[in-house]
Amino acid sequence: MNNPITIKACLQQAQLLLSDISDSSRLDAEVLLAFVMQKNRTWLYTWSDKIPSPDQLQQFNQLVSQRQQGTPIAYLTGEKEFWSLPLQVSPATLIPRGDTEILVEVALELAQTLQQKNPQEHIRILDLGTGTGAIALALASELPTANITAVDKMPQAVELAEKNRAALGFKNVTVLHSDWFSAITLQKFHVIVSNPPYIDEQDPHLKQGDVRFEPLTALVAPNQGLADIQHIAEHAKQHLLPNGFLCVEHGWQQAEAVRGVFEKNGYVGVRSEKDNGGNDRVTLGVVG
């Protein structure tokens, strides 16, 4: 791209460059240019004849080049929206995805039902493997009186989740360094939620798309992707209050196996909920 070049021309050329690697090449170009210009995407169209500065153009060209190599947009901009909340992201954590909002919806409904039955009680929620803090912070935004604990075994993830918590100002969330339940000791909760690693180590999709750049520790689990879910189901019982719920996200073909794990560990009322694509995405059960 040569200078001078207008915003409109920048977007057109970037869209062309990105068309081979992205089904959303126009959106990718808009997000990257808006990030560089420190404006929103609407502004780009309102002022499409403006000319970016040489520094802005250089930064934009570098980001487009990185995107051509497959680097996820969220890692390039350092942010991702989840549940309408702006979250900082980094290569140390998974990028929050829309499918995970189903897990939030399920947990929110359960928490609200429990709150209605016990209006004087503060609902206690545990988010295992919190990553960016997306699930815990989304729940905190809807449940201001709940006490929410978010844990992760990766120090970089704990630091990032705490940054997001502080930036959003949610005082009802506590972020802890914990390998699953290791730092929870005797605490008990009404609802435990988790989006754990659940991809099979041999899954060919690990070499495709955004997941190539995401941390394997947050994606992959042994035993056909079920090992962490099995660990959670087994140990969550000790940390759930009577009639407490466990809810986990899993792969779209794992629902039957996950239901079997729950039932084997004594959970009752086990069922799966579908994502926006109509696939079973979240399984939940009540501690027996």
Side-chain angles (χ1 to χ4, degrees), residues 250-253 255 259 272-275 278-282:
H250 49 71
W252 66 280
Q253 293 178 309
R259 289 195 296 269
S272 299
E273 298 287 345
K274 297 184 183 301
D275 60 22
N279 300 306
D280 287 334
R281 180 65 60 180
V282 171

Side-chain angles (χ1 to χ4, degrees), residues 115-128:
Q115 187 71 77
Q116 290 170 359
K117 292 180 179 178
N118 303 283
Q120 306 305 316
E121 191 169 11
H122 292 286
I123 299 300
R124 296 173 56 82
I125 300 174
L126 173 62
D127 175 22
L128 293 167

Side-chain angles (χ1 to χ4, degrees), residues 3 5 8 48 72 91 104 116 121 197 215 232 243 277:
N3 206 27
I5 182 172
K8 181 178 180 180
S48 62
V104 175
Q116 290 170 359
E121 191 169 11
I232 291 168
N243 299 314

Side-chain angles (χ1 to χ4, degrees), residues 75-112:
Y75 287 162
L76 294 175
T77 63
E79 59 187 31
K80 176 72 173 181
E81 184 178 283
F82 180 84
W83 202 262
S84 300
L85 300 174
L87 299 177
Q88 297 180 51
V89 301
S90 83
T93 63
L94 289 185
I95 299 167
R97 288 168 168 76
D99 283 341
T100 301
E101 292 193 351
I102 304 302
L103 179 58
V104 175
E105 291 175 6
V106 171
L108 180 59
E109 182 178 352
L110 295 173
Q112 289 173 332

